[in-house]
Amino acid sequence: MTQSTGMTGLDIGASTGPAEAGLSMVIPDAGLRTRVRDGLEAVETLLRQAVRSSGYPFLTETSRHLVEAGGKRFRPLLVLLAAEYGDPTAPGVVPAAAVVELTHLATLYHDDVMDEAVVRRGTASANARWSNTIAILTGDFLFSRASDLLADLGPEAVRIQARTFERLVQGQIRETLGPEEGVDPVEHYLRVVADKTGSLIATAARFGAMFSGAPAWIVDVMVTYGERIGTAFQLSDDLLDVMSDSTESGKAPGTDLREGVRTLPVLHVLRSMGPSDGRLRELLNGDLTDDERHRETLALLRAHPAMERARADLRRWVSEARAALEPLPDQPATQALQRLCDFVLARTG
């Protein structure tokens, strides 16, 4: 795969170098870019403070593990962009951005245990470096730190976060149990993605508008946009896992295949009844921890029409996210949100 220059990783936390180039492509307006960059730096500072354990240095070390590994900071970025429809300097905006990122990081610790992952963001996962127990408890600690920040944002924020967390758990359970009898696996998977990924990104957009004092109708627009762009973002990750030489998550190509995770392209293959699909379906239903079988599966999947079907699903979700923005005023933040739609498509070439 040929990755899109500057936008594929969207590492936006730093103020110079490639990270700044990525931010410039998403936010061409210099004034908005400066405000967002300053906001992201404030979020980074708060994240590092939040993961510090007052009495146990080892817990600080394990909690900082993924914070310091970097990441796209996609959720804080959405908080800050949504805040542009009110007062972006309002005191609750940066803490809200830290809350959603801490929640996201906590889920990554738990996901790595469930997936038995050994690499996260190009470095050893917490469960591989320490143990499953340490990773789970570190994730719990990050949830507690997010809750501590959240308490200062008021009961409505706590309620929204609780309902978001309910959806995160619900999505994980749905994924674990699989589709019920008679339920289309693709539709089941899209519902899982909406719960596991879309819900928290929708909350990020909601918090930004809400804590900036934006009108209620804009808060509603942000929730709809966040859910749709969040789902699209995960679908683009599914494609990247198959297509790329080294995915932006730091995992090797085909990691989901090796771990037996049935993402959107795989589900489209299994739905296919083509006479030439027999070997690929056989491989997908077997053990893919063997390197030779894994390479063959990856090659066959990359060439299969299922990839284009998955791209069509991605384009549909991006189109729906873009459509959600139509009521918004024409201002730099709206243009940046539209460019995020372009970014999600551009990630997969």
Side-chain angles (χ1 to χ4, degrees):
M1 169 195 172
T2 302
Q3 297 185 344
S4 304
T5 304
M7 291 181 68
T8 304
L10 195 70
D11 293 316
I12 53 179
S15 59
T16 59
E20 177 67 9
L23 194 60
S24 297
M25 294 188 74
V26 174
I27 309 176
D29 182 84
L32 175 58
R33 190 165 62 251
T34 297
R35 290 194 298 277
V36 168
R37 185 196 307 123
D38 291 347
L40 287 168
E41 290 177 354
V43 172
E44 285 301 307
T45 298
L46 186 52
L47 286 174
R48 281 166 170 74
Q49 292 171 351
V51 300
R52 186 181 304 126
S53 170
S54 59
Y56 197 12
F58 175 72
L59 185 53
T60 301
E61 179 187 359
T62 62
S63 300
R64 283 181 173 173
H65 182 64
L66 285 186
V67 172
E68 294 180 350
K72 293 173 285 293
R73 302 296 189 249
F74 189 78
R75 293 154 189 80
L77 174 64
L78 268 184
V79 174
L80 297 172
L81 289 176
E84 288 288 318
Y85 297 94
D87 176 8
T89 66
V93 171
V94 167
V99 165
V100 292
E101 187 66 9
L102 284 169
T103 302
H104 171 58
L105 291 171
T107 65
L108 296 185
Y109 281 88
H110 288 181
D111 281 352
D112 284 346
V113 171
M114 295 192 69
D115 297 341
E116 299 181 354
V118 295
V119 175
R120 168 69 69 178
R121 293 180 175 175
T123 189
S125 62
N127 48 301
R129 180 171 176 179
W130 291 289
S131 69
N132 284 345
T133 299
I134 294 299
I136 291 169
L137 293 174
T138 300
D140 292 344
F141 176 71
L142 293 185
F143 281 130
S144 76
R145 300 304 294 148
S147 297
D148 189 59
L149 288 174
L150 195 66
D152 293 330
L153 298 178
E156 180 62 16
V158 173
R159 183 177 296 107
I160 291 168
Q161 174 79 346
R163 291 174 178 173
T164 303
F165 193 70
E166 177 187 359
R167 287 191 63 192
L168 292 171
V169 174
Q170 176 178 284
Q172 185 61 66
I173 292 175
R174 285 185 188 278
E175 181 180 64
T176 301
L177 295 180
E180 297 175 354
E181 186 176 353
V183 175
D184 176 53
V186 171
E187 293 305 314
H188 171 267
Y189 180 72
L190 291 173
R191 187 168 182 181
V192 166
V193 170
D195 282 343
K196 284 190 63 179
T197 304
S199 65
L200 186 57
I201 291 178
T203 293
R206 181 199 292 263
F207 276 174
M210 189 173 93
F211 287 110
S212 72
W217 71 267
I218 287 185
V219 175
D220 291 341
V221 167
M222 286 297 133
V223 172
T224 301
Y225 171 79
E227 181 100 12
R228 293 174 179 176
I229 199 66
T231 299
F233 197 86
Q234 181 57 54
L235 299 186
S236 69
D237 264 358
D238 289 357
L239 286 162
L240 278 173
D241 184 68
V242 176
M243 296 164 56
S244 65
D245 292 327
S246 58
T247 68
E248 60 187 88
S249 65
K251 298 188 295 184
T255 295
D256 289 332
L257 282 176
R258 192 179 294 278
E259 294 173 355
V261 178
R262 292 186 168 180
T263 57
L264 189 60
V266 170
L267 291 171
H268 276 305
V269 170
L270 296 175
R271 187 193 245 183
S272 171
M273 299 299 291
S276 61
D277 297 339
R279 175 57 178 167
L280 180 53
R281 285 202 302 270
E282 176 190 346
L283 289 164
L284 291 171
N285 286 314
D287 180 11
L288 293 177
T289 58
D290 176 78
D291 288 343
E292 186 174 340
R293 289 174 60 89
H294 181 267
R295 279 193 296 271
E296 182 184 359
T297 305
L298 198 56
L300 289 172
L301 184 55
R302 285 171 172 171
H304 196 277
M307 295 298 290
E308 181 51 38
R309 294 179 197 131
R311 287 190 191 93
D313 289 331
L314 170 60
R315 287 193 294 268
R316 175 169 59 86
W317 279 94
V318 169
S319 177
E320 291 179 1
R322 197 187 306 275
L325 299 173
E326 290 177 0
L328 295 178
D330 184 13
Q331 65 183 63
T334 303
Q335 295 158 14
L337 293 171
Q338 291 167 339
R339 282 176 171 255
L340 278 177
C341 293
D342 297 333
F343 156 70
V344 171
L345 279 179
R347 299 173 81 212
T348 59

